[in-house]
Amino acid sequence: MKLRKVTAASATVLALALTATACGSEDKGGGSGSDGGKKITVGIKYDQPGLGLKTPDGKFTGFDVDIAKYVAKELGYAEGDIEFKETKSADRETALARGDVDFIAATYSITDERKQKVDFAGPYLLAHQDLLIRADDNIAKGADLNGKKLCSVVGSTSAQNVKKDFAPKAQLQEYPTYSQCLGALQSGRVDALTTDDSILAGYASQDQYKGKFKLAGLKLSNENYGIGVKKGDAEMVKKINAALEKMVQDKSWDAAVKANFGPANYQNEPAPKIGNIVK
């Protein structure tokens, strides 16, 4: 009698263990993610309004975020399956190589140097280096900056490019952050702020700056933003390109541009040809 009780108890434990193992295997291989299923990790910027921004309440907004959500959906992931991870410019290649992220959408300009380290899908946006100026000012060409105060962030090449190629007599003022440059522009301490027009439009679209600034529209360079993936992952590149093509075709791309850049009167380029990886 005692032996039968032990056997019955053992059988119960074994049955429970098998059930738990089966459930664990099912969760790992599928599901919507919100109940412990599959997840996808996406690298974005946390500090670029209009592109990639983590708000105080923990939400993520911006054009890059909208691109990432659409792509993830086409890859089979619901919005709740996405884990956004901050990837600063200097960390992007390392994050992909280590597998910290599955792909990166973070104002990631496609260059020959970067293509040696990562693969790119896209491009999904053609941006240009430009100037942000006060709404009542006008700068028609780069040379108009000669003698004026030009702001950019410490370590940025944008202002140096302007001084080198367009306005050698511009007075460069460097600040730690773009927000400080915006404050200096608003107060009149500087005459212009320079970086990619998409980034400038995002900052100018913030509620506290609406109507105070405008883009000069100079198009001082071409910046093709791509989605970075681990080097050699041709299948992922193919899938992401297909998702981007669909986003353009169904007009979700246009809606994302308008929602994130519209308040700054951003004159965006048409959606670039997906799969045309250029410098």
Side-chain angles (χ1 to χ4, degrees):
M1 186 70 172
K2 184 177 181 180
L3 180 61
R4 284 197 299 271
K5 287 184 178 180
V6 172
T7 301
S10 299
T12 301
V13 170
L14 179 59
L16 289 172
L18 288 172
T19 301
T21 301
C23 291
S25 299
E26 183 179 1
D27 287 344
K28 185 177 181 180
S32 65
S34 58
D35 59 354
K38 60 183 180 178
K39 297 280 188 178
I40 188 167
T41 304
V42 181
I44 61 169
K45 295 289 183 65
Y46 276 16
D47 59 351
Q48 290 184 338
L51 285 155
L53 180 70
K54 184 176 182 180
T55 61
D57 59 359
K59 295 180 180 179
F60 300 95
T61 64
F63 183 71
D64 284 345
V65 173
D66 289 344
I67 290 285
K69 288 179 179 178
Y70 192 99
V71 168
K73 179 190 69 175
E74 293 302 307
L75 293 177
Y77 298 89
E79 189 169 328
D81 302 336
I82 305 171
E83 295 179 349
F84 286 114
K85 184 178 180 69
E86 183 177 23
T87 49
K88 298 179 180 179
S89 296
D91 301 331
R92 290 178 295 204
E93 287 82 19
T94 301
L96 287 169
R98 286 193 311 228
D100 295 342
V101 294
D102 294 293
F103 67 81
I104 291 176
T107 58
Y108 205 175
S109 295
I110 301 169
T111 67
D112 286 340
E113 181 181 1
R114 288 169 177 165
K115 285 190 287 184
Q116 302 302 312
K117 302 175 182 179
V118 304
D119 285 337
F120 285 99
Y124 62 88
L125 183 71
L126 173 57
H128 305 282
Q129 184 178 342
D130 198 1
L131 304 174
L132 191 70
I133 58 179
R134 288 180 290 275
D136 56 354
D137 286 346
N138 284 293
I139 294 180
K141 55 185 183 298
D144 291 344
L145 282 168
N146 282 315
K148 294 185 179 294
K149 295 177 181 179
L150 176 64
C151 187
S152 194
V153 297
V154 176
S156 169
T157 60
S158 299
Q160 298 292 348
N161 290 341
V162 171
K163 283 181 63 66
K164 175 185 174 183
D165 299 327
F166 306 102
K169 295 182 180 180
Q171 302 172 36
L172 177 60
Q173 305 285 322
E174 293 184 300
Y175 287 76
T177 66
Y178 286 118
S179 294
Q180 288 175 292
C181 275
L182 285 166
L185 181 61
Q186 184 174 356
S187 67
R189 285 175 287 149
V190 299
D191 301 298
L193 163 61
T194 187
T195 188
D196 294 356
D197 54 5
S198 58
I199 297 174
L200 295 174
Y203 278 105
S205 296
Q206 296 179 92
D207 288 340
Q208 67 266 39
Y209 297 128
K210 286 180 181 177
K212 297 179 180 179
F213 305 123
K214 66 182 180 182
L215 293 167
L218 300 189
K219 298 184 179 180
L220 301 175
S221 71
N222 291 332
E223 305 294 336
N224 286 281
Y225 291 171
I227 292 182
V229 303
K230 189 172 184 179
K231 188 69 177 176
D233 195 346
E235 186 63 25
M236 178 66 90
V237 170
K238 181 179 179 181
K239 290 179 179 179
I240 293 177
N241 278 339
L244 292 173
E245 288 175 352
K246 182 177 179 181
M247 187 175 187
V248 172
Q249 291 169 0
D250 68 14
K251 305 300 182 181
S252 296
W253 186 91
D254 295 291
V257 168
K258 183 176 181 180
N260 293 292
F261 302 130
N265 195 30
Y266 178 52
Q267 302 299 314
N268 65 283
E269 298 281 3
K273 183 178 180 181
I274 308 302
N276 183 26
I277 300 299
V278 295
K279 182 174 180 180

